[in-house]
């Protein structure tokens, strides 16, 4: 291990196939977002997700983001608001946005799908033995992904190879910063664990 104590891994293309995310997880959200919102609309968690999406849509509008789908105030007709939220989510996904607000709602949707066995997280066959070896030799393993921490835990907790969470020391998502910015690593990930 030559002085290396910590592995900081991504999900897509590192431990799991990018195809799983794009061919299973994202399509699940696209096909279920409207029914999910309808089913959970009056729950506090769903309303918190809606509020975060609304705030982001307002910010996008103020910044002149092209194509932004606005979300009316909750005082408007409930069905209209739900349709606007769903349309905003689909717009963000089609634009490949990595907003925390979007990832949070997706994570809540995936929680339901994973817990019901509708989705099982893909993990490459060679990943588990490597993670086991690294941990057995005193190394720590963290995941840093644009997907929410909750979504990360769902993927590894309900994987095709079983529950892998015991092999991971922790998780990071966009709450600590954007993955493409060096400061996200220097000031956030590294200061706590290196």
């Amino acid at each position: 291990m030559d002085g290396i104590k910590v592995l900081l891994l991504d999900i897509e293309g590192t431990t799991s196939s990018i195809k799983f995310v794009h061919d299973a997880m994202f399509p699940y959200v696209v096909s279920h977002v409207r029914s999910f919102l309808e089913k959970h609309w009056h729950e506090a968690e769903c309303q918190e997700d809606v509020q975060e999406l609304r705030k982001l849509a307002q910010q996008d509008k103020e910044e002149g983001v092209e194509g932004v789908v606005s979300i009316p105030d909750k005082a408007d007709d409930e069905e209209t608001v739900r349709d606007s939220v769903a349309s905003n989510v689909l717009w963000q996904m089609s634009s490949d946005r990595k907003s925390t607000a979007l990832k949070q709602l997706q994570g809540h949707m995936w929680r339901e799908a994973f817990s019901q066995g509708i989705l099982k997280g893909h993990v490459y066959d060679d990943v588990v033995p490597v993670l086991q070896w690294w941990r057995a030799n005193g190394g720590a393993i963290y995941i840093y992904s644009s997907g929410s921490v909750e979504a990360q835990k769902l993927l590894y907790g309900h994987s095709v190879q079983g529950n892998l969470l015991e092999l991971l020391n922790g998780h990071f998502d966009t709450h600590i910063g954007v993955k493409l910015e060096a400061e996200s690593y220097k000031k956030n990930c590294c200061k706590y664990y290196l």
Side-chain angles (χ1 to χ4, degrees), residues 85-136:
V85 171
S87 295
N88 178 279
V89 166
L90 297 174
W91 167 74
Q92 286 196 57
M93 290 180 71
S94 70
S95 302
D96 196 29
R97 296 190 79 192
K98 310 280 189 218
S99 74
T100 300
L102 172 65
K103 296 299 179 181
Q104 197 67 37
L105 176 65
Q106 287 174 327
H108 295 149
M109 292 182 66
W110 291 326
R111 175 180 58 205
E112 188 169 276
F114 278 106
S115 67
Q116 293 175 0
I118 297 168
L119 292 175
K120 290 263 187 208
H122 172 267
V123 178
Y124 292 120
D125 292 338
D126 60 349
V127 168
V128 174
V130 171
L131 297 181
Q132 290 169 331
W133 180 88
W134 188 261
R135 289 299 304 271

Side-chain angles (χ1 to χ4, degrees), residues 11-19 122-129 161:
I11 294 174
E12 294 180 9
T14 306
T15 63
S16 303
S17 170
I18 195 167
K19 283 186 60 119
H122 172 267
V123 178
Y124 292 120
D125 292 338
D126 60 349
V127 168
V128 174
Q161 297 193 40

